Amino acid sequence: QVVFALNQTLLQQESLRAGSFQIPYTTEDLIKHYNCGDLSSIIFNHDTSQVPNFINATLPAHERVTAQEIDSYFRQELIYKRNERMGRRVKDLLEEHPDKSFFFAFGAG
C-alpha cells in the first residue's frame, strides 16, 4: 500500500507539473469559504481533499481496492481520530478547570 500510495502521489505531482492536472481550488477559494463558514463544500469533498486522492476510474480493479483502503485509512486517521483526540482534550480541560475561561481554535482539513 505504501508503494502504491507513493507511486500515485508521484504520478499526480508529475501531472500537476506538466499542466495536465490542476488542483480544483486556490488559496483564495479556501479563504473565501472559511470567511463564509462553509468549508465542507471544498475541504471535505472527496475530490478536493488535501489528502491525495488515489481513487480514479482508470485504475485496474485490484488497484482501486487498494486505493479505497488507503483513502479510508487516511480519513480515519487524519480526520476522525484527530477530532476525537481533540474533543477528549477539550472536554478534559473544561472538566479539570471549571472556573477557568478557555479559547479553542480548530483548523479544518
Side-chain angles (χ1 to χ4, degrees):
Q1 286 182 342
V2 172
V3 171
F4 174 84
L6 181 58
N7 283 334
Q8 291 301 310
T9 301
L10 292 173
L11 287 171
Q12 189 178 59
Q13 292 300 311
E14 289 169 357
S15 295
L16 278 170
R17 187 173 295 132
S20 59
F21 175 74
Q22 291 185 331
I23 295 174
Y25 57 87
T26 64
T27 301
E28 288 78 22
D29 292 330
L30 293 175
I31 292 168
K32 180 183 130 202
H33 284 278
Y34 177 82
N35 287 334
C36 292
D38 178 29
L39 289 175
S40 61
S41 65
I42 204 162
I43 293 293
F44 296 110
N45 179 325
H46 222 48
D47 296 331
T48 59
S49 174
Q50 293 282 356
V51 176
N53 185 12
F54 302 124
I55 304 169
N56 66 61
T58 62
L59 292 174
H62 70 282
E63 287 187 358
R64 208 169 314 131
V65 169
T66 300
Q68 289 169 335
E69 289 171 354
I70 293 170
D71 182 76
S72 176
Y73 173 80
F74 278 154
R75 286 186 175 281
Q76 187 65 33
E77 294 298 320
L78 298 180
I79 296 174
Y80 303 126
K81 285 187 179 179
R82 176 206 61 183
N83 291 350
E84 289 173 6
R85 280 190 305 272
M86 284 192 302
R88 277 193 307 273
R89 289 176 183 160
V90 167
K91 180 181 168 284
D92 290 346
L93 279 170
L94 293 172
E95 288 175 349
E96 289 172 18
H97 308 283
D99 297 333
K100 282 191 171 183
S101 294
F102 290 91
F103 174 81
F104 299 100
F106 302 96

